[in-house]
Amino acid sequence: QVQLVESGGGLVQAGGSLRLSCAASGRTFSRYNMGWFRQAPGKEREFVAAIIWSGDNTIYADSVKGRFTISRDNAKNTVYLQMNSLKPEDTANYYCAVDVSRSFSYTLPRRLGDYDYWGQGTQVTVSS
């Protein structure tokens, strides 16, 4: 049973920082690429960042590039999203996801449909 549990969300002022965590269980996650997505009220879920199984490669949405950093600790089965210089438009529910259909893949997916399992989300609210 694959389980992803996000934590670390909260209320922060614009310009502040938060660090999200995603604890994974049920598989050997060091084999799989993982990603973060977000969904604001009334909007579709959108890609934020992804990280390769080894941690050596990452990709970001243009809207967060230079402000957010995705990382992973395979020994702890945990993926992180460090968010700096937060803006009100970053307000959303943030979800982590894992692509278990491909092991040791060097292709980092950006599409929702490329991911197989999702967490329940953690809310991030940025006040102006």
Side-chain angles (χ1 to χ4, degrees):
Q1 184 82 5
V2 174
Q3 189 172 19
L4 302 175
V5 179
E6 301 97 334
S7 62
L11 174 63
V12 64
Q13 288 188 332
S17 298
L18 281 175
R19 188 196 197 201
L20 306 184
S21 299
C22 173
S25 61
R27 291 280 185 111
T28 305
F29 284 90
S30 57
R31 298 170 173 261
Y32 307 119
N33 299 336
M34 299 190 70
W36 284 97
F37 288 74
R38 67 186 181 186
Q39 188 167 17
K43 295 188 176 181
E44 293 185 350
R45 193 169 300 190
E46 64 176 5
F47 171 79
V48 174
I51 187 166
I52 202 170
W53 51 274
S54 62
D56 292 339
N57 194 19
T58 57
I59 55 172
Y60 297 91
D62 288 344
S63 59
V64 307
K65 202 172 294 184
R67 300 187 298 123
F68 290 11
T69 302
I70 187 172
S71 61
R72 65 191 296 163
D73 184 340
N74 285 338
K76 296 182 178 180
N77 278 348
T78 302
V79 176
Y80 304 97
L81 186 68
Q82 177 66 43
M83 306 185 296
N84 298 329
S85 302
L86 282 160
K87 305 175 181 179
E89 50 264 44
D90 294 318
T91 295
N93 208 4
Y94 283 71
Y95 299 88
C96 71
V98 60
D99 171 15
V100 300
S101 61
R102 291 168 279 245
S103 296
F104 303 115
S105 172
Y106 286 91
T107 301
L108 281 168
R110 292 176 175 261
R111 299 177 303 178
L112 273 70
D114 290 329
Y115 291 87
D116 306 291
Y117 293 94
W118 296 80
Q120 83 291 344
T122 185
Q123 178 67 36
V124 172
T125 303
V126 185
S127 63
S128 57

